[in-house]
Amino acid sequence: MQLAQAGIKTSTTNFDDGWVAQPFADYVKVVKQPITVLLHYAIAIDDEMRQSNDMGVYTWDRLISPRYRVSNLKVFPERALHI
């Protein structure tokens, strides 16, 4: 996604509470030291994703793993919410 297509007009936004947001081609980086948050733009869910038996694994393999290095990964089993 290009910035122009996303409608982003400014390069940096400084918030009153100390957070600073900067848009990039496929995410917005928001920083307030020592915390950095990356907000990724939505992705289209295609037929390949819908046919996956495990959406979490598919998403991890296609979106997270190529972009980030994780050294202390812990996998927790899904738990049903009891309402």
Side-chain angles (χ1 to χ4, degrees):
M1 176 182 290
Q2 295 177 346
L3 292 178
Q5 292 174 335
I8 298 172
K9 307 257 187 260
T10 60
S11 59
T12 302
T13 301
N14 295 294
F15 295 95
D16 293 341
D17 59 0
W19 287 96
V20 178
Q22 184 178 11
F24 290 88
D26 57 348
Y27 64 92
V28 175
K29 182 178 181 179
V30 186
V31 177
K32 182 176 181 182
Q33 292 300 331
I35 299 168
T36 298
V37 178
L38 301 180
L39 303 171
H40 293 273
Y41 301 125
I43 60 166
I45 297 177
D46 58 19
D47 288 338
E48 186 179 352
M49 289 178 83
R50 284 187 198 94
Q51 294 171 2
S52 172
N53 290 333
D54 188 337
M55 183 68 83
V57 171
Y58 180 89
T59 304
W60 181 271
D61 290 345
R62 294 282 304 268
L63 302 174
I64 308 301
S65 183
R67 185 172 289 176
Y68 303 101
R69 290 193 182 131
V70 178
S71 61
N72 59 347
L73 177 65
K74 292 182 182 180
V75 178
F76 296 94
E78 292 183 31
R79 297 179 185 169
L81 295 176
H82 299 285
I83 298 175

